[in-house]
Amino acid sequence: MEKAGQVLNNQSVGNLSNDEIVQGLKEALKVGISNGASQASALDGYFKNNLIKLAFPPDVQRVETKLRQIGLGGEVDKFILSLNRAAEDAAKKSKPVFVKAITSMTIQDAVGILRGDSTAATQYLRKSTNQELYNQFFPVVDSTLKLNNATKYYADLVNTYNKLPLVQKVNPDLKQYATQKAIDGLFVLVAQEERKIRKDPVARVNDVLQKVFGQK
């Protein structure tokens, strides 16, 4: 693998200048972000995508199982739908955060992404934006959970479960769980878009992308 420092000295990778590398990678990220964020923030963007659909928190899935057994499946389904609506609303906040990370990308970052694996750009974004995405998503998730009564559904479901005999009581932090899962799902979609751009010439939407990823 050619190191970023070598690229800086030689001013090129193949027949690409450093400026072209940076421009191409930034454009690739913008394409992936736009497509991924649009998918995530659409109605049912999470709810009808089994790759990223939010479910009961793993540490309380026994709650869901038990509640379905006692005839509360409809209430469980309402809660899960509301959970995914919160994620879809939060995803609308992602584009400005990603654009900020792209703007600050260095030549070293760009070369590392170009020479990296099929989701190197997505990994760069996750490292650069996860905390800010969390800060942006959390109040939206909190608000939407309340608006859609998911917080109430969850409290009612957990309280019903906790009243059952011989069960271990639960009370996980729903908002933190939903926020991080919304972020994780968004990155799944962005990674899918990045793989398309790297592997499928049709997905390379302009000449710069053709040149940059044609060097791989």
Side-chain angles (χ1 to χ4, degrees):
M1 179 182 296
E2 187 172 23
K3 295 182 180 179
Q6 294 174 318
V7 175
L8 284 168
N9 291 333
N10 296 337
Q11 296 300 310
S12 67
V13 174
N15 64 345
L16 296 175
S17 69
N18 287 330
D19 287 343
E20 286 177 311
I21 294 169
V22 175
Q23 182 183 358
L25 264 295
K26 287 183 178 181
E27 190 63 32
L29 286 174
K30 288 177 183 177
V31 171
I33 287 165
S34 179
N35 292 341
S38 295
Q39 291 175 50
S41 61
L43 183 67
D44 292 329
Y46 282 81
F47 186 65
K48 290 189 177 179
N49 186 337
N50 289 331
L51 284 176
I52 63 174
K53 181 179 179 179
L54 275 69
F56 255 71
D59 53 346
V60 292
Q61 284 180 351
R62 65 182 184 279
V63 177
E64 176 181 4
T65 300
K66 188 67 175 179
L67 291 175
R68 290 190 185 281
Q69 288 175 349
I70 63 173
L72 292 176
E75 294 303 308
V76 170
D77 290 338
K78 287 180 184 178
F79 163 70
I80 292 174
L81 176 61
S82 296
L83 199 60
N84 284 273
R85 290 291 182 261
E88 290 156 12
D89 284 347
K92 297 171 185 175
K93 295 285 188 178
S94 62
K95 286 186 183 181
V97 178
F98 284 143
V99 169
K100 180 180 176 181
I102 292 171
T103 302
S104 63
M105 181 187 294
T106 66
I107 292 175
Q108 289 92 334
D109 293 330
V111 173
I113 290 168
L114 178 63
R115 299 305 192 196
D117 64 22
S118 63
T119 59
T122 304
Q123 293 168 40
Y124 165 81
L125 280 177
R126 180 181 281 278
K127 181 179 178 181
S128 303
T129 65
N130 190 79
Q131 187 57 54
E132 189 168 354
L133 284 174
Y134 190 94
N135 295 340
Q136 292 286 335
F137 277 31
F138 188 88
V140 179
V141 168
D142 184 21
S143 175
T144 305
L145 288 175
K146 291 176 181 175
L147 182 65
N148 290 339
N149 290 319
T151 306
K152 181 180 183 301
Y153 291 148
Y154 189 68
D156 290 346
L157 289 170
V158 168
N159 288 335
T160 298
Y161 177 83
N162 286 340
K163 291 175 183 177
L164 296 174
L166 304 177
V167 300
Q168 181 181 352
K169 292 183 173 19
V170 295
N171 187 30
D173 190 319
L174 178 63
K175 290 178 287 187
Q176 288 185 6
Y177 165 78
T179 299
Q180 191 57 56
K181 291 298 288 183
I183 293 169
D184 292 344
L186 176 62
F187 280 120
V188 168
L189 298 182
V190 171
Q192 286 182 335
E193 293 301 319
E194 180 183 355
R195 290 190 188 99
K196 288 181 187 177
I197 291 168
R198 288 180 181 272
K199 293 181 179 181
D200 183 3
V202 175
R204 299 172 192 162
V205 296
N206 61 34
D207 291 340
V208 175
L209 291 182
Q210 293 282 0
K211 288 186 71 176
V212 170
F213 288 104
Q215 295 291 315
K216 288 290 285 178

